[in-house]
Amino acid sequence: MLLPPFLCLSLVDTAWQLSLSIGRPSSADPAALLGPPLAMFTPGGGRPQPPAWLGREWAGSGSRLSFPLTIEFFDEPLRQPMSDEPLRRTQARRLFTRSERLGTKASGVAWGMLQLSSIEALVVWCIDLPDGVCSSAEGATANDADLPAGTRLYCSTQAWRSDELQRLMPLAERLRRERAGESDRGKRSAIDSRLAKLERALPKPGQATLEAPALGAVTLSAAGQLSVQRAVSGKIFNPFENAGRQPLPSGTALPESSRS
């Protein structure tokens, strides 16, 4: 299946205002469980874990690091193809990043879109933190949730074809009603099979989505995942082998038309 060109083009020249929430993943946070984890791109599937190289006590107090920033998607291809997963699977394009956090530098690396189904894609982007991020100014325990210099962050969120969602979501609701009123075990099993296949391609129940007028053809998840990549002596390690699955707080990923 080929990714419909308009899905990528719908993001070009848009700016997003994000607030990254960095810390240990928590099963109590429903947003952290929505959408495919970036760890699935490791050999063998990769189960999301807290970054082991940051130490067992990293973010042990339960504090989280809030990192607001603005990103802008450009249509310009990179001069050199990305070798990192999963951007190497995409037509990586240039990304602009502006940190909104005092004293923290952020540099956009690239963005791309990875097809998950005929109606769903994963938007992936990465940014570099040349000086890292310090949490001590926020009142957290010193070095509790800090990120070291040379850290690369990979972020992702889901995107769907809006027209297909408008067509399929009422169908899913109709199947749920049919299942609730069906007493025959065989027919109920057949409905369950159809519904399960359909629900895999749709936003999860309660998952917040955004219908941005500037994007038109695309519906975005309001939350996503974040993985921390380790840099050692200038060499980038596999970012997802021991990466935590982090949410972007619901309602903070707000695409808006960029200003020229």
Side-chain angles (χ1 to χ4, degrees):
M1 294 182 295
L2 296 177
L3 192 66
F6 69 82
L7 282 181
C8 288
L9 294 177
S10 295
L11 301 186
V12 170
D13 293 332
T14 64
W16 297 12
Q17 294 176 338
L18 306 176
S19 179
L20 305 183
S21 179
I22 303 170
R24 287 186 174 269
S26 171
S27 58
D29 187 346
L33 305 178
L34 298 175
L38 288 170
M40 73 181 183
F41 295 104
T42 45
R47 185 176 181 181
Q49 299 288 343
W53 57 82
L54 294 180
R56 293 183 178 181
E57 297 181 356
W58 181 78
S61 67
S63 61
R64 304 191 69 84
L65 192 63
S66 178
F67 184 17
L69 73 161
T70 298
I71 62 175
E72 187 171 353
F73 299 88
F74 292 104
D75 194 31
E76 179 184 344
L78 298 185
R79 294 183 178 179
Q80 296 292 331
M82 291 288 293
S83 59
D84 296 351
E85 289 280 13
L87 280 174
R88 72 177 185 86
R89 303 169 186 250
T90 74
Q91 184 179 353
R93 294 171 165 87
R94 189 165 67 89
L95 178 77
F96 170 79
T97 303
R98 182 176 65 251
S99 171
E100 307 293 350
R101 195 172 191 271
L102 187 63
T104 301
K105 296 179 181 179
S107 176
V109 179
W111 75 278
M113 191 174 281
L114 188 71
Q115 185 172 10
L116 301 179
S117 73
S118 60
I119 71 167
E120 181 187 3
L122 192 68
V123 184
V124 181
W125 63 96
C126 62
I127 63 175
D128 284 342
L129 304 176
D131 301 325
V133 185
C134 179
S135 62
S136 58
E138 298 181 3
T141 304
N143 300 322
D144 188 41
D146 291 356
L147 293 177
T151 293
R152 174 170 289 183
L153 300 181
Y154 268 82
C155 306
S156 70
T157 196
Q158 292 163 279
W160 295 269
R161 294 176 55 175
S162 299
D163 58 343
E164 288 296 288
L165 286 190
Q166 293 170 7
R167 182 178 68 87
L168 294 175
M169 292 185 75
L171 176 58
E173 189 58 38
R174 179 171 65 81
L175 288 175
R176 294 187 187 101
R177 291 195 300 268
E178 289 182 9
R179 182 182 60 181
E182 184 56 67
S183 58
D184 184 274
R185 180 176 297 180
K187 292 181 179 180
R188 186 181 179 91
S189 178
I191 294 174
D192 283 341
S193 179
R194 287 183 61 195
L195 184 59
K197 182 178 180 180
L198 185 58
E199 287 180 334
R200 282 195 294 270
L202 299 175
K204 300 293 186 297
Q207 184 173 2
T209 59
L210 300 169
E211 296 284 354
L215 302 182
V218 177
T219 297
L220 292 166
S221 172
Q225 286 76 41
L226 183 154
S227 291
V228 179
Q229 187 178 51
R230 182 189 189 191
V232 178
S233 300
K235 296 182 179 180
I236 300 296
F237 281 28
N238 187 323
F240 311 120
E241 186 174 0
N242 292 297
R245 187 179 183 183
Q246 312 292 355
L248 282 66
S250 178
T252 59
L254 301 178
E256 57 184 19
S257 297
S258 62
R259 298 183 179 87
S260 57

